[in-house]
């Protein structure tokens, strides 16, 4: 390269690599062979430069960091939550002690649906699929003796996400942790609830408005916190194909970007904090290609369609979770193997954080033993297999590059179809997403039934399976949670709660950013159920056709 | 060929009617949607009541639709709380003849208790569509 000429992408990557610190473990093979940080063609073609390129650079096909896991491993984030906040607090501490470096919170169905534990529909569900959180006091119990300034916390919550975020911010405040220090993610992706997961309360438009409120509020007050994790995981679990997962998720992301720009924010002021969540399913190469295609598509659209200038806005960072729906009740030990391959795909696809499912999750929430194996699966991957020693080691593989391009093209065709349906909200309301997902789920199940797709232990290699221990959730949890809730209602200042709820309702009607009023209501001990009702008074409820 | 069998049966010769429902708060409806299509493909009349149903509402639907079979889909682990209440409601309304099947994440330990409640069959993950349709047909036609 001649003196004075522009730095080439290769040189830029080299320079970024030189500035990146490396982990202090040996980055050689088991036999001691040194491993290059990156493998690439001796003479990269123009197509290679534009489509595949260099890690840490546009279009980010090869990953968002110049040295990826050579610098820092992915965050091992096991999803945990059950029973009362105290029980989940114990499980959090157990996982941190076992070497997990991030927390991920599962809430129970009443909390996810914005109902208090004492609501009639909550009967039998309290603390069962996650932890029960009714108020700020529960949130404080959940993170008791866990320094929120030091641990990155992910929270899987959607319809009442703005309320849970308010509880989290007030909990940090009461711990003395300044909000700009908070790292973590709140899932807060309501669009995928209408496509797949079905935990919505309000109609799509005002729901998206609440998401934009949190994006705006976090951009200003908690700049290191990811206010939304745009999630394909559930779309895939509901039966979508890899391409549908990819396309629907990115289309959701584009919708949030457009709505936030419409609110008056500059794209570069919020896009760097948008994060993603994908499924890690069984088909190894297709999954790797999916992640690589996702990064490339996001980068192109953010730069070319939305005019983002900051390279951080172009970067698609993602969490992956191995596929719950792929787990089988037959021969449950075999699930450990499925999870390991799926986790390997996520890592070869360049995930920033990973949840590995436990072998027993097809039967119940995981036991401590099962979750330990799931976490150890990640640790073996990280420290023994060597796949973290170079960036995008499958980049340049004919198969992987071809699949990446195919998935990208299929996703683009789906974006065009969503436009033809009248855009995101119209496509939700006319049932486009749900219809496509249901069709794909049915076609897949028919293939399994016909024996054209083999599932070990289910329609092939079957045998009488062994039993594994499962976690029991005791019914008295519901009574304990309701006793706490009843105590809260007698101890708090009822008039102050009522005023705070009125203000939430009024703010929602005025279409003001909802966060300041929610924060005040959280401080006054308003419950999730009360706040959701106040919001629903202003925003309405959503009842789609079946 | 079916005439002698039909003559023995007290019920009119009409397609098997199945009400499918999700009770509780769980929104995972992949399973129930797939089963609905499979049973329709097998020639049955299927009424899916949608998400977030209470046991009482489901029993009302069974009565109104004159269903032969009630299929409940439940993944949240609340089955040992919600199923007893559903089965009691069915009995109270004189709907004992309705075959109840349950699908979802159901630990093996709970199977005897569910059978004692009168649940005809529990399908757990991995159950084949053909098996479900065949069971429903045989449970009704005998």
């Amino acid at each position: 390269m001649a003196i004075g000429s522009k730095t080439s992408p290769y040189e830029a990557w080299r320079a970024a690599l030189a500035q990146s610190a490396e982990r202090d473990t040996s980055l050689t093979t088991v036999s001691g062979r040194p491993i290059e940080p990156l493998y690439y063609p001796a003479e990269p073609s123009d197509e290679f430069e534009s489509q595949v390129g260099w890690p840490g650079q546009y279009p980010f096909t090869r990953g968002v960091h110049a040295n990826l896991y050579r610098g820092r491993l992915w965050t091992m984030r096991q999803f945990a939550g059950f029973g009362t906040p105290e029980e989940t607090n114990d499980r959090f501490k157990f996982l941190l002690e076992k070497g997990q470096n991030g927390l991920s919170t599962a809430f129970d169905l009443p909390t996810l649906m914005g109902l208090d534990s004492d609501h009639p529909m909550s009967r039998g569900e309290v603390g069962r699929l996650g932890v029960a959180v009714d108020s700020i006091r529960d949130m404080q119990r959940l993170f008791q003796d866990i320094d929120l300034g030091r641990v990155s916390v992910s929270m899987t919550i959607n319809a009442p996400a703005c309320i849970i975020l308010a509880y989290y911010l007030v909990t940090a405040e009461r711990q003395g942790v300044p909000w700009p220090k908070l790292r973590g993610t709140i899932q807060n992706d309501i669009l995928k609830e209408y496509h797949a997961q079905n935990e919505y309360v309000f109609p799509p438009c005002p729901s998206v408005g609440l998401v934009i409120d949190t994006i705006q509020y976090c951009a200003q007050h908690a700049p290191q916190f990811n206010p939304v994790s745009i999630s394909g995981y559930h779309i895939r679990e509901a039966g979508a194909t890899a391409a549908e997962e990819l396309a629907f998720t990115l289309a959701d992301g584009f919708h949030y970007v457009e709505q936030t720009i419409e609110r008056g924010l500059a794209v570069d002021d919020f896009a760097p904090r948008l994060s993603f969540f994908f499924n890690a399913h069984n088909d190894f190469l297709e999954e790797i290609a999916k992640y690589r295609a996702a990064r490339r598509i996001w980068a192109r659209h953010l730069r070319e369609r939305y005019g983002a200038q900051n390279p951080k806005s172009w970067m698609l960072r993602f969490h992956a979770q191995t596929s719950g729906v792929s787990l089988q009740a037959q021969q449950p030990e075999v699930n450990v193997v499925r999870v390991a391959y799926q986790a390997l795909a996520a890592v070869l696809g360049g995930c920033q954080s990973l949840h590995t499912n436990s072998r027993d999750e097809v039967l119940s929430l995981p036991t401590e033993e099962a979750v330990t194996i799931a976490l150890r699966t990640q640790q073996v991957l990280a420290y023994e297999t060597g796949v973290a020693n170079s960036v995008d080691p499958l980049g340049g593989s004919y198969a992987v590059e071809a699949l990446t391009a195919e998935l990208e093209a299929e996703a683009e065709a789906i974006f065009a179809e969503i436009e033809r349906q009248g855009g995101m909200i119209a496509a939700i309301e006319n049932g486009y997403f749900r219809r496509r997902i249901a069709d794909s789920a049915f076609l897949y199940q028919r293939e399994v039934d016909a024996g054209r797709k083999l599932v070990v232990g289910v329609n092939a290699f079957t045998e009488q399976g062994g039993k594994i221990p499962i976690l029991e959730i005791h019914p008295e949890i519901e009574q304990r949670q309701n006793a706490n809730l009843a105590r809260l209602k007698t101890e708090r200042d009822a008039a102050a709660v009522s005023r705070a709820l009125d203000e939430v309702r009024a703010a929602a009607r005025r279409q003001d950013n909802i966060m300041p009023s929610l924060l005040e209501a959280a401080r006054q001990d308003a419950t999730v159920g009360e706040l959701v009702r106040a919001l629903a008074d202003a925003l309405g409820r959503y009842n789609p056709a079946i | 060929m079916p005439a002698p069998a039909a003559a023995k049966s007290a019920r009119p010769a009409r397609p098997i009617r199945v009400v499918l429902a999700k009770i509780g708060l769980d929104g995972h409806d992949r399973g129930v949607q797939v089963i609905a299509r499979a049973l329709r493909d097998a020639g049955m009349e299927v009424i899916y009541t949608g998400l977030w149903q209470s046991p009482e509402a489901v029993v009302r639907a069974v009565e109104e639709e004159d269903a032969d079979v009630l299929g409940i889909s439940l993944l949240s682990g609340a089955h040992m709380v919600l199923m007893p209440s559903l089965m009691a409601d069915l009995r109270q309304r004189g709907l004992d003849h309705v075959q109840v099947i349950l699908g979802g994440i159901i630990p093996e330990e709970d199977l005897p208790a569910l059978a004692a409640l009168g649940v005809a069959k529990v399908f757990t993950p991995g159950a084949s569509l053909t098996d479900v349709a065949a069971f429903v047909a045989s449970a009704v036609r005998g």
Side-chain angles (χ1 to χ4, degrees):
Chain A
M1 186 116 322
I3 292 169
S5 73
K6 207 170 153 238
T7 313
S8 74
Y10 167 76
E11 287 166 337
W13 168 70
R14 274 280 166 208
L17 187 72
Q19 286 180 358
S20 317
E22 282 195 351
R23 283 186 280 132
D24 55 5
T25 49
S26 161
L27 298 172
T28 62
T29 66
V30 171
S31 348
R33 185 185 310 279
I35 288 294
E36 291 292 322
L38 185 76
Y39 293 86
Y40 47 88
E43 289 180 32
S45 64
D46 287 349
E47 196 196 349
F48 176 91
E49 289 283 0
S50 68
Q51 296 298 303
V52 184
W54 306 90
Q57 283 180 40
Y58 185 88
F60 299 99
T61 312
R62 307 201 71 180
V64 294
H65 300 301
N67 67 347
L68 199 63
Y69 308 131
R70 265 176 99 94
R72 196 167 73 85
L73 288 166
W74 62 91
T75 304
M76 299 181 194
R77 203 191 283 280
Q78 296 295 106
F79 190 43
F82 62 95
T84 60
E86 287 83 354
E87 277 156 308
T88 297
N89 180 265
D90 285 345
R91 177 63 73 95
F92 281 169
K93 288 175 182 162
F94 170 86
L95 288 167
L96 290 170
E97 204 175 286
K98 292 270 173 189
Q100 182 172 300
N101 46 12
L103 293 177
S104 178
T105 318
F107 295 94
D108 69 359
L109 281 169
T111 310
L112 292 171
M113 293 301 294
L115 301 174
D116 286 339
S117 298
D118 60 2
H119 190 280
M121 280 301 283
S122 303
R123 191 165 62 103
E125 315 266 26
V126 175
R128 205 166 268 286
L129 288 191
V131 60
V133 169
D134 289 315
S135 73
I136 180 68
R137 296 192 192 181
D138 287 338
M139 200 65 148
Q140 287 181 258
R141 291 184 191 110
L142 187 60
F143 295 107
Q144 183 80 41
D145 304 321
I146 295 172
D147 181 352
L148 297 184
R150 297 177 67 90
V151 176
S152 154
V153 176
S154 161
M155 289 174 284
T156 300
I157 187 94
N158 295 287
C162 51
I163 297 166
I164 295 294
L165 176 64
Y167 287 167
Y168 189 75
L169 293 174
V170 174
T171 301
E173 183 178 275
R174 290 180 179 174
Q175 279 193 2
V177 176
W179 293 347
K181 274 185 78 179
L182 293 175
R183 286 175 308 114
T185 306
I186 189 156
Q187 191 169 83
N188 198 19
D189 173 13
I190 201 65
L191 288 172
K192 65 98 173 37
E193 297 294 339
Y194 303 106
H195 308 330
Q197 177 86 345
N198 299 318
E199 284 151 7
Y200 42 76
V201 177
F202 320 113
C205 267
S207 289
V208 170
L210 295 176
V211 175
I212 308 310
D213 286 353
T214 59
I215 293 174
Q216 188 178 29
Y217 197 82
C218 285
Q220 287 158 2
H221 302 277
Q224 288 201 81
F225 194 80
N226 302 316
V228 55
S229 167
I230 305 155
S231 304
Y233 182 83
H234 318 81
I235 293 172
R236 190 66 181 283
E237 290 285 292
T241 63
E244 287 164 347
E245 176 196 353
L246 173 65
F248 293 177
T249 311
L250 296 184
D252 290 347
F254 298 147
H255 189 74
Y256 295 130
V257 168
E258 287 160 16
Q259 294 300 306
T260 313
I261 291 172
E262 193 136 304
R263 187 70 75 85
L265 268 78
V267 65
D268 286 318
D269 287 346
F270 67 89
R273 294 255 54 103
L274 298 178
S275 64
F276 285 82
F277 172 21
F278 287 110
N279 202 293
H281 215 290
N282 278 335
D283 200 295
F284 190 68
L285 296 180
E286 187 177 58
E287 292 302 281
I288 295 166
K290 179 183 75 184
Y291 308 125
R292 299 172 87 254
R295 277 193 296 267
R296 193 151 82 201
I297 299 169
W298 186 251
R300 287 236 164 85
H301 283 249
L302 265 284
R303 189 167 89 163
E304 289 168 18
R305 203 162 128 201
Y306 301 114
Q309 313 263 312
N310 181 353
K312 288 200 158 79
S313 300
W314 307 333
M315 280 182 194
L316 180 148
R317 297 166 299 120
F318 75 101
H319 169 73
Q321 179 176 342
T322 60
S323 166
V325 82
S326 76
L327 302 181
Q328 303 300 333
Q330 296 83 351
Q331 304 177 39
E333 298 289 3
V334 178
N335 291 331
V336 175
V337 183
R338 291 189 177 96
V339 167
Y341 292 142
Q342 294 165 0
L344 178 58
V347 166
L348 289 173
C351 68
Q352 276 58 62
S353 87
L354 177 62
H355 166 107
T356 35
N357 287 326
S358 298
R359 64 184 177 191
D360 51 358
E361 285 184 68
V362 65
L363 301 168
S364 68
L365 291 183
T367 60
E368 284 192 352
E369 188 199 350
V371 79
T372 303
I373 295 172
L375 178 59
R376 295 285 183 254
T377 303
Q378 293 202 44
Q379 290 162 339
V380 169
L381 196 51
Y383 300 109
E384 296 184 20
T385 64
V387 295
N389 291 348
S390 64
V391 180
D392 188 35
L394 298 189
S397 143
Y398 296 123
V400 168
E401 294 302 349
L403 282 170
T404 304
E406 274 174 35
L407 281 159
E408 183 179 15
E410 201 177 331
E412 290 289 352
I414 294 174
F415 299 150
E417 179 58 34
I418 295 170
E419 284 307 309
R420 274 196 295 278
Q421 297 285 331
M424 176 56 62
I425 301 295
I428 288 173
E429 287 173 347
N430 77 22
Y432 163 76
F433 294 101
R434 301 180 63 82
R435 232 176 4 256
R436 258 195 93 140
I437 294 169
D439 287 347
S440 298
F442 187 61
L443 288 177
Y444 172 79
Q445 193 57 45
R446 256 208 339 222
E447 291 286 288
V448 172
D449 253 37
R452 285 191 292 269
K453 289 211 187 297
L454 296 191
V455 184
V456 173
V458 174
N459 64 358
F461 316 107
T462 54
E463 60 184 51
Q464 282 302 314
K467 281 176 59 163
I468 53 171
I470 62 168
L471 183 80
E472 280 191 41
I473 305 290
H474 297 291
E476 62 266 22
I477 281 170
E478 194 160 323
Q479 281 118 47
R480 282 218 305 275
Q481 188 64 18
N482 282 335
N484 277 340
L485 187 56
R487 192 163 54 246
L488 168 111
K489 286 182 180 169
T490 58
E491 286 173 1
R492 64 187 184 173
D493 177 348
V497 175
S498 172
R499 276 195 304 276
L501 291 171
D502 285 345
E503 180 46 32
V504 167
R505 217 174 276 118
R509 288 210 171 102
R510 289 193 304 263
Q511 299 187 6
D512 286 354
N513 190 308
I514 204 69
M515 289 309 296
S517 63
L518 288 178
L519 286 158
E520 181 51 24
R523 292 185 190 106
Q524 296 300 335
D525 292 318
T527 67
V528 171
E530 290 164 341
L531 288 165
V532 164
R533 278 202 304 279
L535 288 172
D537 287 345
L539 308 177
R541 289 182 184 269
Y542 187 57
N543 290 304
I546 293 167
Chain B
M1 185 263 293
K8 265 190 265 169
S9 167
R11 37 187 318 285
R14 58 160 172 85
I16 295 172
R17 286 173 75 79
V18 185
V19 165
L20 292 180
K22 284 192 67 70
I23 49 177
L25 293 173
D26 159 48
H28 292 92
D29 61 353
R30 175 183 183 155
V32 73
Q33 302 252 17
V34 167
I35 294 292
R37 287 201 195 191
L39 297 183
R40 271 175 208 144
D41 281 3
M44 301 176 197
E45 287 179 358
V46 179
I47 302 102
Y48 170 45
T49 62
L51 299 167
W52 316 318
Q53 300 295 305
S54 66
E56 303 76 42
V58 169
V59 171
R60 267 199 312 277
V62 168
E63 196 168 30
E64 281 161 16
E65 299 291 347
D66 187 22
D68 307 300
V69 175
L70 169 61
I72 296 290
S73 166
L74 222 173
L75 284 88
S76 71
H79 51 278
M80 293 316 294
V81 176
L82 299 177
M83 287 308 284
S85 136
L86 177 105
M87 299 305 285
D89 265 23
L90 272 180
R91 266 196 310 278
Q92 246 173 28
R93 296 241 180 185
L95 298 169
D96 307 61
H97 60 281
V98 175
Q99 300 283 328
V100 178
I101 60 172
L102 173 63
I105 297 190
I106 312 291
E108 212 178 308
E109 284 75 1
D110 295 338
L111 298 184
L114 290 165
L117 285 173
V119 175
K121 178 86 177 168
V122 176
F123 292 98
T124 48
S128 92
L129 301 179
T130 326
D131 289 351
V132 176
F135 180 84
V136 170
S138 73
V140 176
R141 304 273 187 230

